[in-house]
Amino acid sequence: MTLDAGFLDRYDAVMAKWPVPHESLDLPGRFGTTHVNVCGPADGSPVVLVHGGRATSAGWFNTVGALAGRHRVYAIDAMGDAGRSVANGERIRDRDGVVRWLDETLSWLGVTTPALVGHSLGAWNAMSYALAHPDRLSRLVLLDPTGCIVGNRPTFMVRAIPLIVRPGPSRYRSFIRWETRGAPLDEEWLDLWAGRFGGASGGAWPKRPPAASLARLTMPVMVVVAGRSRQNNARRLATLTPKIIPGVRMATLAGASHFTIPQQDFEELNPVLADFLSAPNPVPAPGL
């Protein structure tokens, strides 16, 4: 299975924005070949980044620099989604498949007890792994999570229907411009997010877990809320999360929308993220 050449050019253009040296790895496995971009000191505490839908690991370009001074950062292209990972093996069909894929990838990398950071759909992937293997993570960060604590707004789902019926770059662009309320976006990243990528699509549909299971998470957890998200009800997410996850650390980025994280909101996000990942004993704190 071959990725579209135009997609690779767009991907490389965004990777060129990474402010720190990095190496790229392609890891074979039961689900296909997983692509990982790695930076930071080899002896740094491991942080694994899992991007949102279509965003690719390249999209962390405004965040990796804030983490790479202290951490070994592994930015993964999610299997079955846009990116350089090639889904030419067993198909991921459910939460268990996501967990097996992530577990296999971490094993290949030789990473034990990392901090796992996920945005949007990537937050659901990260949460799924945390629920299955709480003893294998040091911390968990969910950035405006999809399908973890609250459901999508009905208006968001209705607006997304054309993307399912007849997907295409112009419709993707229109959708993200609507969700971000016309906020300025990095044009090269937007070209990557909205464009065709030629890889196999697929993956599991995010279904919310029972609240009781989230209450049993044993690692320190932080949830970041996008205050202007058109996907999540920000107020409900901020209010409900502490009732479900004991001791969770909350942060609200008041001006952020679901899709401006992490590229456009890094000046607010990065200090919060770096502090949580580096603090010896993170404790609950009020939102920003």
Side-chain angles (χ1 to χ4, degrees), residues 83-94:
R84 284 183 175 268
S85 292
V86 181
N88 58 1
E90 181 180 329
R91 184 169 182 176
I92 296 176
R93 299 182 182 276
D94 52 24

Side-chain angles (χ1 to χ4, degrees), residues 36 86 89 93 122 128 192 201 217 226 235 249 255 283:
V36 186
V86 181
R93 299 182 182 276
S128 297
L192 178 64
S201 60
L217 290 172
R235 185 185 299 274
R249 181 170 180 173
V283 295

Side-chain angles (χ1 to χ4, degrees), residues 1-3 7-8 11 24-37 51 57 75-92 101-102 104-106 108-109 197 199-200:
M1 190 167 299
T2 304
L3 294 172
F7 167 80
L8 297 178
Y11 185 101
S24 296
L25 305 174
D26 291 296
L27 311 175
R30 66 189 292 182
F31 299 99
T33 300
T34 298
H35 186 82
V36 186
N37 292 304
H51 62 82
S57 65
I76 301 175
D77 280 338
M79 184 63 69
D81 200 349
R84 284 183 175 268
S85 292
V86 181
N88 58 1
E90 181 180 329
R91 184 169 182 176
I92 296 176
W101 162 67
L102 270 174
E104 181 182 67
T105 301
L106 297 179
W108 267 106
L109 292 170
F197 65 95

Side-chain angles (χ1 to χ4, degrees), residues 50-56 60 81 118-123 193:
V50 188
H51 62 82
R54 299 186 65 88
T56 83
W60 297 101
D81 200 349
H119 168 235
S120 186
L121 179 59
W193 191 90

